[in-house]
Amino acid sequence: MVDYVVRILSFCPQKVDIVHSVLACPEVDRLIFPAVLYTGNDSTIPINSADQFNIASVSKELVRMPDAQKVEQLDDDQTLVIAELRGENNIEFSSTINLVQSPTPNVINLRFSSEHLQSEALTLSNLKKLFSELISVFQADHASIYDRKSIHRSKHPKYLRTANFRSYPIEMEWLTYFGPQMIELLGHERFTNLHTCVEKYDLHGGTMVILQEDPFDEDNPQHQERRIQAERELHLS
């Protein structure tokens, strides 16, 4: 079994209600609900839709605030919000939202496995729809789907670092979205020279690259070589 992660990164300042907006995306709703929401201290509560999500249900251990403020006193200028859910089908959702301007990105993760692909609970078509929805709602700067084993790929992951201390991942994954700022920094001409992919198209001002139709497997040498070749064509390696 292969474990995958959908990772959506955004440097755009957010509000607390962004978690509700993300959970309300049609593909997220279909994949996650019914679910349980982790509320802290290993406890959970059932929720069946985004409308039932209430940040006040989450322990202050997960909603991190200075001066031991209570959850009910959320302050959009200084709060870090962490929300975690597990769907009935074992697809996991998590979010880490900084409600203050920061060089650290806001993150949305969805974790699933090759079993979800084999059962067609998830297909490449579904994943493309999921990306389109999440990138728009979350105002994403970067998004990808990767085999979790890829975190051991290198001791020194590759990033595009900017003068304002932001770091954008630039390794190719099964699906990779390069947002408008990344396209501007890397240059459009790099993507003109990219041929090792099954699909490449404009999306929400950025570029989506689908490396291959088959789910990427980090243990497959042919898949590894395809990724490396795509990175060469983009001059990322």
Side-chain angles (χ1 to χ4, degrees), residues 124 174 197-198 210-217 222-223 226:
L124 182 55
W174 179 22
C197 60
V198 295
I210 302 176
L211 193 59
Q212 57 189 48
E213 290 186 1
D214 292 336
F216 189 89
D217 185 345
Q222 292 179 329
H223 292 187
R226 187 172 180 83

Side-chain angles (χ1 to χ4, degrees), residues 70-214:
K70 294 181 179 179
V71 172
E72 290 80 2
Q73 297 173 324
L74 291 174
D75 186 335
D76 280 359
D77 292 329
Q78 54 191 5
T79 306
L80 173 66
V81 179
I82 298 175
E84 298 180 358
L85 298 90
R86 179 187 289 270
E88 193 173 66
N89 58 4
N90 290 321
I91 294 177
E92 299 177 356
F93 170 94
S94 66
S95 63
T96 304
I97 312 298
N98 293 286
L99 303 177
V100 61
Q101 189 71 42
S102 170
T104 302
N106 301 303
V107 183
I108 295 292
N109 284 330
L110 281 93
R111 299 181 181 89
F112 64 96
S113 75
S114 51
E115 292 181 351
H116 295 102
L117 297 169
Q118 291 163 5
S119 68
E120 296 191 343
L122 267 171
T123 65
L124 182 55
S125 177
N126 294 143
L127 292 170
K128 289 167 65 176
K129 290 178 184 177
L130 179 69
F131 265 48
S132 183
E133 292 171 4
L134 287 177
I135 288 166
S136 175
V137 169
F138 203 53
Q139 297 177 270
D141 292 281
H142 180 274
S144 62
I145 299 179
Y146 60 90
D147 178 343
R148 290 185 70 180
K149 290 191 293 294
S150 69
I151 62 176
H152 305 296
R153 182 185 295 159
S154 171
K155 293 181 180 179
H156 304 287
K158 290 176 283 189
Y159 290 93
L160 176 64
R161 305 186 191 279
T162 65
N164 58 357
F165 305 107
R166 293 179 178 179
S167 295
Y168 299 90
I170 54 173
E171 291 181 313
M172 289 295 299
E173 304 293 352
W174 179 22
L175 278 74
T176 310
Y177 171 75
F178 300 86
Q181 181 66 20
M182 294 191 71
I183 297 295
E184 183 176 336
L185 291 167
L186 290 169
H188 291 269
E189 64 280 357
R190 294 202 196 198
F191 294 87
T192 302
N193 297 326
L194 174 63
H195 304 290
T196 303
C197 60
V198 295
E199 200 169 355
K200 176 180 59 176
Y201 56 94
D202 295 337
L203 181 65
H204 301 309
T207 298
M208 171 67 78
V209 179
I210 302 176
L211 193 59
Q212 57 189 48
E213 290 186 1
D214 292 336

